[in-house]
Amino acid sequence: MLNYLWAGMTLTGILWGALHGQMTAVTDGAIQASKEAVTLCITMLGVMTLWTGVLEIGHRSGLVDQLAKRMGPILTFLFPKLDPEGEARKQISVNMIANILGLGWAATPAGLKAMEELKKVEEECRTGGAAGQKDSAGRSAAARQEGTASNEMCTFLIINISSLQLIPMNMIAYRSQYGSVNPTAIVGPALAATFISTVVAVIFCKVMDR
């Protein structure tokens, strides 16, 4: 869908420029935008490499595991049915830590792995691992249709989208790239906005869980 959207916007701009005799401006704009895109990609690649490396060092040194353990009460509150020692909770904690640090690039792989682990948990429940348990609609685990997201999956997705961020690295890098006098000025507003969105997300998840 996005491919069609962007292609349509590009073609509309070209046709508009052609109809109004502005093809020179369109061509110059395309060349300048291409140059900025390459420069921005190089900048973001450097930031991504740095912070992904920092996260990997933290993971190998055991720091991420320590942070995950400290997040235990929060994860238990959000995902009470998950095994505290399970792989799903570990991947969720890595994803949340990366998001809090504004490392969306590092959070994505952990998020995908977390969804895979949550799917395995749901399949185990469906095949009889949680016989007798029922979901919020009163259906037994075995009666749920394959491909239907569990409460834990929905909660994780919503929390991931709300994404509390202490350091919005993406926005700081963008603002620095485009000549902001104070790129880090976005930290306060971003923290406030993501805090509110996360609180609303948690409340929504707990209400819908019922």
Side-chain angles (χ1 to χ4, degrees):
M1 182 61 186
L2 285 177
N3 289 337
Y4 292 116
L5 179 62
W6 286 111
M9 293 172 63
T10 301
L11 290 175
T12 300
I14 293 173
L15 290 174
W16 183 269
L19 291 173
H20 291 78
Q22 297 293 327
M23 284 305 296
T24 301
V26 171
T27 303
D28 291 342
I31 294 173
Q32 183 63 28
S34 299
K35 178 181 177 181
E36 288 185 6
V38 172
T39 304
L40 180 61
C41 285
I42 294 174
T43 300
M44 297 307 295
L45 179 62
V47 175
M48 177 182 69
T49 303
L50 170 64
W51 287 102
T52 303
V54 170
L55 185 64
E56 181 64 21
I57 292 172
H59 186 74
R60 295 189 182 187
S61 66
L63 179 61
V64 171
D65 291 335
Q66 292 296 323
L67 291 174
K69 289 181 180 179
R70 293 184 180 277
M71 290 176 63
I74 297 175
L75 294 176
T76 299
F77 173 71
L78 294 173
F79 307 97
K81 297 179 182 178
L82 291 183
D83 179 9
E85 303 298 327
E87 184 66 18
R89 269 197 34 164
K90 179 179 178 181
Q91 294 299 333
I92 289 173
S93 64
V94 173
N95 174 268
M96 292 179 68
I97 290 170
N99 270 329
I100 288 173
L101 296 177
L103 309 178
W105 323 280
T108 300
L112 294 174
K113 291 179 182 178
M115 273 297 184
E116 290 176 358
E117 293 299 326
L118 289 173
K119 182 180 179 181
K120 291 179 183 178
V121 172
E122 177 67 8
E123 288 175 348
E124 290 175 1
C125 292
R126 192 185 308 113
T127 55
Q133 290 187 4
K134 294 186 177 181
D135 61 15
S136 57
R139 300 171 297 175
S140 66
R144 292 179 220 154
Q145 293 182 354
E146 185 175 356
T148 300
S150 64
N151 282 3
E152 287 74 21
M153 289 180 177
C154 293
T155 298
F156 174 64
L157 180 61
I158 293 170
I159 296 298
N160 192 275
I161 292 171
S162 66
S163 185
L164 173 67
Q165 291 191 0
L166 297 179
I167 310 173
M169 291 304 305
N170 279 355
M171 293 305 300
I172 292 174
Y174 292 145
R175 287 167 59 84
S176 177
Q177 173 67 25
Y178 288 103
S180 173
V181 177
N182 186 8
T184 58
I186 194 68
V187 172
L191 177 59
T194 55
F195 175 78
I196 294 172
S197 67
T198 302
V199 170
V200 172
V202 171
I203 294 173
F204 175 81
C205 291
K206 287 305 174 181
V207 170
M208 295 305 294
D209 258 351
R210 294 189 175 185

